[in-house]
Amino acid sequence: MKLSARNISWQVNGRQLLDNIRLETVPGENLGLIGPNGSGKTTLLRILAGLQKPHTGDVWLGDQSMYRMRQRHIARSIALVEQQAMASDRISVHQAVSLGRTPYLSPMRGWSPQDEAIVSRALYDVGIEPLKTRPWHTLSGGEGQRVQIARALAQQPDILLLDEPTNHLDIRHQLSILGLVRALPITVVIALHDLNQAMDCDRVGVLEDGRLVDIGPPEEVLTPHRLRRTFGVHADVLANAQDQRHYMRFRQAV
């Protein structure tokens, strides 16, 4: 299923946070979004998820406008993991992850063994099954972030949107979560702070002052010229001698 942003613009107090964004996902791809703080990544993800309506433009899910669709239908197709990892809700980790099944429940269709199995699998996949009885509000930031990711997995979306999901996570869990996300047989759009993590995406989109200034394979987009212009840093693109994976070494621009 394709997700398309068609000429999306968004303003706050006269400031243009998004400016005529045109973007279309490729089914099954891992699309990274990068850009300096304030470039519009979070706002764009919230609009793509249907949580905000753009001031101009439209978002299409498959072959129809998202704004003509019922929220339940959208929630069965798209899940969003936002940056904020902590919660004040006095519920257990298991209950928090179970909320991902809400779009599938109704007065005619209650909780089933299949729902329980899906929640259990999501808890296991992100490594928080031992915490399932813990109150959500007592978790650390990294643990809370993994709960949010598990809840999104329990939603079983066709498209998963993640806003810097490795915030608060130690390096072991960063690698685990990113590996899990890359292996999912769905479309993933992920805002990233770490540019080396962006090198593992199928495509990368670069946001700058609310504009999508470049998009394409990371080796074509993340060039020294682009990184100096957008982020103000010098970058050397290097290849690992063993697996030929590319990574970047940064130096401050002068």
Side-chain angles (χ1 to χ4, degrees):
M1 181 177 293
K2 290 183 179 179
L3 182 64
S4 307
R6 302 187 177 187
N7 305 102
I8 295 297
S9 295
W10 175 268
Q11 293 182 349
V12 173
N13 297 325
R15 182 188 171 202
Q16 194 80 24
L17 293 186
L18 294 176
D19 185 5
N20 199 36
I21 299 290
R22 288 172 288 180
L23 174 69
E24 183 172 272
T25 63
V26 176
E29 76 169 334
N30 194 313
L31 172 63
L33 295 177
I34 63 170
N37 290 340
S39 59
K41 300 186 297 294
T42 295
T43 302
L44 177 57
L45 286 176
R46 287 182 61 82
I47 288 175
L48 291 176
L51 299 182
Q52 294 178 203
K53 191 170 182 178
H55 291 147
T56 62
D58 202 353
V59 177
W60 281 57
L61 184 57
D63 59 358
Q64 67 180 123
S65 169
M66 184 183 293
Y67 307 115
R68 298 191 184 98
M69 298 170 63
R70 297 178 61 186
Q71 192 61 43
R72 180 181 292 269
H73 186 188
I74 296 172
R76 289 180 179 180
S77 300
I78 300 176
L80 171 66
V81 177
E82 301 192 77
Q83 286 188 43
Q84 183 61 40
M86 297 307 294
S88 59
D89 297 336
R90 303 285 170 158
I91 58 177
S92 70
V93 167
H94 181 276
Q95 289 171 322
V97 176
S98 297
L99 292 174
R101 302 304 299 159
T102 302
Y104 301 93
L105 304 178
S106 71
M108 301 297 294
R109 197 278 199 197
W111 191 261
S112 71
Q114 180 184 12
D115 294 308
E116 189 62 40
I118 290 168
V119 168
S120 295
R121 180 68 192 189
L123 288 163
Y124 174 82
D125 283 342
V126 301
I128 57 171
E129 193 172 28
L131 306 177
K132 63 183 180 181
T133 60
R134 281 269 303 274
W136 189 12
H137 72 280
T138 66
L139 302 183
S140 69
E143 290 167 340
Q145 189 77 337
R146 284 187 283 154
V147 170
Q148 286 206 105
I149 295 169
R151 181 170 61 181
L153 295 180
Q155 205 169 319
Q156 294 192 309
D158 299 307
I159 300 168
L160 178 61
L161 311 178
L162 303 108
D163 191 2
E164 298 189 13
T166 56
N167 275 1
H168 310 291
L169 299 183
D170 59 45
I171 186 62
R172 179 170 70 91
H173 287 115
Q174 286 186 31
L175 295 174
S176 174
I177 291 299
L178 290 173
L180 171 64
V181 167
R182 282 195 294 269
L184 293 173
I186 60 176
T187 303
V188 174
V189 182
I190 179 170
L192 292 166
H193 180 72
D194 188 324
L195 298 181
N196 275 308
Q197 292 175 355
M199 295 292 288
D200 289 328
C201 294
D202 297 311
R203 288 193 301 156
V204 174
V206 182
L207 287 168
E208 185 179 301
D209 295 325
R211 294 174 293 110
L212 185 64
V213 296
D214 207 348
I215 189 168
E219 63 273 14
E220 296 178 9
V221 170
L222 301 180
T223 62
H225 173 75
R226 168 54 61 196
L227 296 173
R228 181 185 175 97
R229 176 173 176 175
T230 300
F231 295 95
V233 296
H234 287 296
D236 300 312
V237 181
L238 308 173
N240 185 298
Q242 293 182 331
D243 58 15
Q244 293 303 305
R245 290 177 62 186
H246 290 83
Y247 66 97
M248 289 174 282
R249 182 176 61 195
F250 301 101
R251 294 171 286 122
Q252 186 173 2
V254 294

